[in-house]
């Protein structure tokens, strides 16, 4: 796969022009960097700037950290700024925002740049090819973003609660039915019948719900992210399964927005599903007897991933310098800081598979192990709109405000309209 990647970038190099030359050390310039607000990103960027200043003492880097309530709103902030004539040189985003910005022809294709830069090829050689292929802009196939970190979805479980229930820990081949039986057994009620502990927290967010579709060979959109695929028996079955956990088995609390990490550390749920990001809170809570396992299987083993990266805008007057700073922001020091923060999974395999990084929770090597087979979250140019439609209808079904057939019909109709507008 790596050979295919490099072959592809070589072709693009011939089509799109020369690579970026390394600037002289005494270059004087200013670089503007547009990123979302995140304490770890702010801290790591400041450290990267210090390292960069040692190489380019006459370069000033202006950082702009912008709120990211949704990826759509974050992208709009960037687009409004460009429209006002104040384009940044470097733009940070996640896969949910890649396609919208790239579709407006605002970003350089980094394929030729990477092909001509041995250091960049070394960085990519330490990244699972499936992640790189997943972050390519569709349908152009361009690599507009250079990868930094990523996240997936797996299932966390409280081992003490499993022990108390007399249950074996989840195995790598556990099924939906295994999971459902465990969730029932892990649900505890008081004498009045009120649940004091639930087996599972159903993810209340789009990314979190995707594995329950993928493990059943279902999805919201087709592989090209162009057409609705919700009107299938597999999609219905996935929704019915999660609905049954809440309303039939009552092994999950009422559906609400959120991940479930807070309920997990509070001892209110025995299992929840997330990426690597809840680990700092779990560690801070003092909860130590925790394990993780892949998402339970119905038809196939699968999960979803999202990935972040840095791009160079075509409006940049200093793309060579921007590229050098991006390499600083994705190099070993930056990857080590990502690993130390535990907030996400470093894109570099060598940093995400160390004994230190995989020391907690039990089975933590699974986080990077899924990189080879995970599927990118469907992120068309109108991602924010698609996410809103999906969560509005699935939320209505899971809270019994709308029946299943109405949910499927309305979801399919609205997705069809949205996708037609997105590509016409």
């Amino acid at each position: 796969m790596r050979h295919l990647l490099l072959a592809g970038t070589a072709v693009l190099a011939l089509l799109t022009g020369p690579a970026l030359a390394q600037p002289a050390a005494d270059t004087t310039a200013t670089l503007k960097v547009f990123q979302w607000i995140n304490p770890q990103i702010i801290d790591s960027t400041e450290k990267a700037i210090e390292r960069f200043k040692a190489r380019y003492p006459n370069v000033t880097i202006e950082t702009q950290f912008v709120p990211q309530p949704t990826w759509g709103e974050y992208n709009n902030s960037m687009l409004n700024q460009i429209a006002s004539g104040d384009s940044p040189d470097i733009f940070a985003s996640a896969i949910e925002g890649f396609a919208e910005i790239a579709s407006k022809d605002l970003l350089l294709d980094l394929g030729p740049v990477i092909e001509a830069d041995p250091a960049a090829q070394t960085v990519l050689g330490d990244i699972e090819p499936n992640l790189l292929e997943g972050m390519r802009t569709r349908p152009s196939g361009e690599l507009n973003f250079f990868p930094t970190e990523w996240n997936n979805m797996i299932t966390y479980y409280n081992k003490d609660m499993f022990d108390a229930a007399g249950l074996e820990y989840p195995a790598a081949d556990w099924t939906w039915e295994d999971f459902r039986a465990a969730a029932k057994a892990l649900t505890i009620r008081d004498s009045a019948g009120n649940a004091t502990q639930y087996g599972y927290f159903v993810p209340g967010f789009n990314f979190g719900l995707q594995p329950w579709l993928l493990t059943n060979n279902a999805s919201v959109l087709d592989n090209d992210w162009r057409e609705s695929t919700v009107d299938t028996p597999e999609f219905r079955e996935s929704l019915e399964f999660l609905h049954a956990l809440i309303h039939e088995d009552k092994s999950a609390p009422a559906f609400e927005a959120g991940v479930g990490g807070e309920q997990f550390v509070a001892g209110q749920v025995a299992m929840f599903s997330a990426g690597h990001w809840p680990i700092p809170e779990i560690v801070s809570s003092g909860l130590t007897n925790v394990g993780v396992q892949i998402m339970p299987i119905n038809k196939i083993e699968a999960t979803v991933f999202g990935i972040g990266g840095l791009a160079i805008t075509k409006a940049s007057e200093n793309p060579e310098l921007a590229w050098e700073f991006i390499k600083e922001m994705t190099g070993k020091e930056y990857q080590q800081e990502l690993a130390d923060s535990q907030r996400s999974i470093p894109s570099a395999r060598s940093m995400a598979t160390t004994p230190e990084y995989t020391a907690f929770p039990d089975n933590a090597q699974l986080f990077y192990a899924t990189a080879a087979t995970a599927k990118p979250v469907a992120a068309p140019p109108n991602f924010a709109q698609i996410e809103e439609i999906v969560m509005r209808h699935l939320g209505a079904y899971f809270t019994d405000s709308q029946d299943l057939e109405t949910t499927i019909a309305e979801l399919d109709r609205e997705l069809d309209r949205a996708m037609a507008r997105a590509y016409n």
Side-chain angles (χ1 to χ4, degrees), residues 60 63 73 142 366 391:
T60 300
T63 54
E73 291 172 271
E142 290 186 356
L366 281 180
M391 289 311 300

Side-chain angles (χ1 to χ4, degrees), residues 194-391:
N194 299 313
T196 58
Q197 173 186 302
Y198 285 102
Y200 184 63
F201 185 96
V202 173
F205 59 113
N206 176 63
F207 188 79
L209 290 168
Q210 297 306 308
W212 291 106
L213 304 173
L214 296 174
T215 53
N216 201 34
N217 263 336
S219 61
V220 173
L221 298 175
D222 65 3
N223 288 335
D224 294 328
W225 301 349
R226 284 179 170 271
E227 296 183 0
S228 166
T229 53
V230 302
D231 191 6
T232 66
E234 291 80 10
F235 195 94
R236 283 181 171 78
E237 185 182 29
S238 295
L239 298 198
E240 287 177 313
F241 181 81
L242 295 175
H243 188 276
L245 296 179
I246 301 168
H247 298 282
E248 183 179 333
D249 301 348
K250 301 186 187 304
S251 59
F255 185 76
E256 61 176 310
V259 177
E262 292 180 7
Q263 292 81 353
F264 185 74
V265 298
Q268 297 168 354
V269 299
M271 298 184 288
F272 78 110
S273 301
H276 208 275
W277 67 87
I279 288 181
E281 279 69 37
I282 295 174
V283 171
S284 296
S285 75
L287 199 59
T288 58
N289 208 15
V290 177
V292 291
Q293 188 50 272
I294 63 169
M295 297 297 295
I297 302 162
N298 196 38
K299 291 186 171 62
I300 61 170
E301 178 183 331
T303 192
V304 67
F305 78 85
I307 189 165
L310 296 163
I312 302 174
T313 64
K314 288 185 175 179
S316 175
E317 296 179 355
N318 297 287
E320 298 88 355
L321 275 173
W323 175 236
E324 290 302 312
F325 188 65
I326 283 179
K327 285 194 290 183
E328 187 63 63
M329 287 284 291
T330 54
K332 286 187 176 179
E333 292 90 347
Y334 189 85
Q335 290 287 304
Q336 185 60 59
E337 289 158 9
L338 278 174
D340 292 343
S341 78
Q342 296 280 320
R343 287 291 177 192
S344 56
I345 309 171
S347 57
R349 182 186 295 102
S350 59
M351 296 293 180
T353 55
T354 65
E356 294 78 14
Y357 188 75
T358 58
F360 179 85
D362 286 354
N363 221 14
Q365 71 276 5
L366 281 180
F367 285 103
Y368 209 93
T370 69
T373 56
K375 295 186 177 182
V377 61
N382 58 343
F383 171 80
Q385 183 183 21
I386 296 303
E387 182 179 51
E388 187 279 327
I389 293 170
V390 169
M391 289 311 300

